[in-house]
């Protein structure tokens, strides 16, 4: 039998633990803020050592989703679900009981995909509730990568003192260098966007799976971009790539790669990537500021995925229907390209106020919510 237990957490609208001893469900659903609209955030299915660990993850991620959705210009707040896989294996009954929990929240929170949840899982949830997005197999990797690409271009325009009103990114990074950690669905597509639009660029890459680099190299060799003197090079380790004097460093895999040691030795001018939680801790942003390294907050740079997912559904309390919209549909693409200006403005304010960019972004969102 499904049981919802409210957790009293200051600064959060509602946090509940949803358990069902019959199905093995043990979920923490965190709704951080709904001032802009129903909360959106993925459902993470993975192993946690205990509920405190699980709740901490949900709280941290749901708050980040509030900032991400607000900076992206979406009329949605932030939420997140974490399900402890130790409590119960995936099954039709587990997803049904989770869907029942969403129903009891009455549309205050819409779930979506995240680590450990597949399209098939989301579709099963959708069989029992309307409060789920991403169930039709939308690949948000292109949108996320294009968002990172546009954020990069905004940061580079600021770094080179180009006027923010100048439109277009073609040839902006000509003969420049980018280091990309991670060649998954975001990193490899980011590489392709750079290769297609930036003649003479050099891209240094690393991934735990070198086959992804070899596949990418084959694609580039067979593309029309080879005539533009493009170089995509492999590094044997993260440490090797981290030592390179690249113009832009792009973490697109796991979080926490920007450590204090790296921040103090980093030779890049800009850090902008698709990974979540890139900074090992918040204090690192101050180190980057003092060293003159322009850090684009990760929840801004990687907001392309949620922009596409949100744009691809008609959400209401009666029904949620898919609109079958791809990343390059003007409804989505225009918002992704707006990240150029948004990134530029945050870096501009950071410099004017002598504050780290993540603090500036946080204050923008909090002031936006305060004015509602």
């Amino acid at each position: 039998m499904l049981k919802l237990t409210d957790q009293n957490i200051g600064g959060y609208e509602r946090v509940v633990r949803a358990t069902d001893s019959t199905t093995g469900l043990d979920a923490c659903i965190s709704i951080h803020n709904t001032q802009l609209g129903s909360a959106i955030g993925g459902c993470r299915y993975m192993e946690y050592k205990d509920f405190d660990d699980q709740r901490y993850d949900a709280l941290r991620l749901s708050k980040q989703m509030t900032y991400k959705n607000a900076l992206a210009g979406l009329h949605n707040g932030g939420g997140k679900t974490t399900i402890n896989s130790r409590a119960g294996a995936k099954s039709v009954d587990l997803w049904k009981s989770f869907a029942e929990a969403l129903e009891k929240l009455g549309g205050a929170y819409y779930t979506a995909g995240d680590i450990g949840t597949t399209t098939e899982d989301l579709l099963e949830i959708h069989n029992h509730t309307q409060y789920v997005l991403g169930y039709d197999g939308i690949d948000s990797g292109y949108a996320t990568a294009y968002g990172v690409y546009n954020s990069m271009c905004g940061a580079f325009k600021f770094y080179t003192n180009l006027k923010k009103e100048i439109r277009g990114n073609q040839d902006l990074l000509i003969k420049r260098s980018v280091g990309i950690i991670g060649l998954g669905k975001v990193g490899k597509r980011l590489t392709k966007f750079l290769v297609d639009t930036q003649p003479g660029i050099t891209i240094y890459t690393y991934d735990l799976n070198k086959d992804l680099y070899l596949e990418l190299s084959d694609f580039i060799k067979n593309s029309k971009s080879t005539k533009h003197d493009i170089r995509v090079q492999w590094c044997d380790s993260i440490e090797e790539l981290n030592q390179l004097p690249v113009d832009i460093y792009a973490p697109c895999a796991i979080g926490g790669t920007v450590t204090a040691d790296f921040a103090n030795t980093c030779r890049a001018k800009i850090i902008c990537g698709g990974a979540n939680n890139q900074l090992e801790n918040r204090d690192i942003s101050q180190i980057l500021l003092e060293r003159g390294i322009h850090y684009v907050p990760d929840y801004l740079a990687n907001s392309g995925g949620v922009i596409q997912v949100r744009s691809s559904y008609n959400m209401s309390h009666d029904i949620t229907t898919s609109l079958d919209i791809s990343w390059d549909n003007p409804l989505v693409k225009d918002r992704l390209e707006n990240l150029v200006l948004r990134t530029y403005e945050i870096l501009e304010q950071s410099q004017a106020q002598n504050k780290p960019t993540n603090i500036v972004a946080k204050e923008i969102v909090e002031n936006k919510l305060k004015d509602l």
Side-chain angles (χ1 to χ4, degrees):
M1 181 177 178
L2 180 67
K3 178 182 179 182
L4 295 188
T5 307
D6 277 279
Q7 311 285 305
N8 186 18
I9 307 293
Y12 289 75
E13 289 189 12
R14 192 174 185 189
V15 180
V16 300
R17 185 178 190 178
T19 56
D20 190 327
S21 58
T22 304
T23 66
L25 177 71
D26 186 358
C28 182
I29 305 173
S30 174
I31 301 173
H32 176 251
N33 192 290
T34 60
Q35 286 178 263
L36 292 173
S38 296
I40 291 177
C43 172
R44 183 166 290 193
Y45 178 89
M46 59 184 285
E47 183 174 318
Y48 293 96
K49 63 181 181 181
D50 53 36
F51 182 69
D52 287 343
D53 188 34
Q54 178 183 352
R55 182 175 58 189
Y56 172 79
D57 212 19
L59 295 175
R60 175 177 59 87
L61 294 167
S62 62
K63 188 173 185 178
Q64 187 178 72
M65 286 305 300
T66 294
Y67 296 135
K68 178 181 290 192
N69 294 336
L71 285 176
L74 302 180
H75 298 297
N76 293 100
K80 205 76 175 184
T81 295
T82 52
I83 297 179
N84 195 341
S85 61
R86 295 176 64 180
K90 290 184 182 182
S91 67
V92 171
D93 288 338
L94 181 138
W95 294 126
K96 183 179 179 181
S97 58
F98 175 51
E100 290 173 1
L102 296 177
E103 285 289 313
K104 289 182 180 294
L105 295 175
Y109 164 66
Y110 284 71
T111 197
D114 203 294
I115 294 172
T117 48
T118 65
T119 301
E120 290 74 20
D121 298 330
L122 299 176
L123 188 58
E124 187 58 48
I125 296 167
H126 185 245
N127 287 335
H128 308 286
T129 184
Q130 298 296 328
Y131 304 129
V132 56
L133 309 176
Y135 55 82
D136 60 353
I138 289 175
D139 182 353
S140 62
Y142 279 107
T144 304
Y146 194 59
V148 173
Y149 168 76
N150 279 283
S151 297
M152 270 187 185
C153 292
F156 194 77
K157 284 182 178 180
F158 178 80
Y159 169 70
T160 53
N161 294 314
L162 285 175
K163 292 182 179 179
K164 59 185 174 184
E165 294 82 7
I166 294 176
R167 302 280 298 177
N169 300 325
Q170 185 75 34
D171 299 346
L172 182 67
L173 299 172
I174 186 169
K175 298 188 183 301
R176 297 288 184 165
S177 58
V178 177
I180 299 179
I181 302 289
L183 295 174
K185 68 176 186 177
V186 175
K188 70 178 179 182
R189 288 158 179 171
L190 172 60
T191 303
K192 291 176 182 178
F193 283 128
L194 291 168
V195 164
D196 287 343
T197 61
Q198 309 299 329
I201 195 170
T202 298
I203 303 173
Y204 300 96
T205 65
Y206 174 76
D207 192 284
L208 291 172
N209 183 0
K210 191 174 182 178
D211 288 342
L212 296 177
Y213 164 75
L214 298 175
E215 292 170 10
L216 186 62
S217 295
D218 289 341
F219 169 83
I220 293 169
K221 287 176 185 176
N222 296 322
S223 74
K224 61 182 181 181
S225 301
T226 52
K227 63 182 180 181
H228 296 316
D229 192 27
I230 303 292
R231 291 196 304 155
V232 179
Q233 298 185 202
W234 172 257
C235 295
D236 288 326
S237 66
I238 291 179
E239 290 74 20
E240 179 186 344
L241 194 154
N242 285 356
Q243 294 171 9
L244 297 173
V246 294
D247 292 292
I248 303 173
Y249 178 80
C252 293
I254 60 171
T257 57
V258 183
T259 63
D261 286 343
F262 175 69
N264 279 304
T265 59
C266 176
R267 301 170 72 186
K269 287 85 172 176
I270 295 164
I271 297 177
C272 177
N276 287 314
N277 305 312
Q278 293 167 25
L279 305 184
E280 188 178 42
N281 60 65
R282 286 179 293 183
D283 295 338
I284 290 170
S285 61
Q286 183 64 36
I287 300 174
L288 297 174
L289 175 70
E290 291 171 359
R291 295 197 62 227
I293 299 170
H294 303 300
Y295 168 65
V296 180
D298 45 33
Y299 50 79
L300 173 64
N302 65 21
S303 61
V306 73
I307 289 173
Q308 181 185 2
V309 169
R310 178 60 185 90
S311 301
S312 301
Y313 291 87
N314 178 28
M315 293 164 51
S316 75
H317 288 308
D318 299 320
I319 191 168
T320 303
T321 54
S322 171
L323 304 178
D324 191 24
I325 295 176
S326 64
W327 72 270
D328 54 356
N329 183 292
L331 185 65
V332 179
K333 194 173 184 182
D334 288 352
R335 283 183 167 178
L336 298 177
E337 291 177 350
N338 283 340
L339 292 175
V340 174
L341 184 59
R342 173 60 89 181
T343 300
Y344 192 110
E345 290 174 342
I346 286 177
L347 290 171
E348 195 173 42
Q349 290 183 46
S350 170
Q351 185 178 75
Q353 300 172 21
N354 195 31
K355 288 182 180 178
T357 51
N358 57 337
I359 301 300
V360 170
K362 178 175 179 286
E363 290 176 352
I364 289 173
V365 172
E366 290 174 349
N367 289 334
K368 183 176 183 178
L369 298 177
K370 192 184 300 181
D371 292 339
L372 293 177

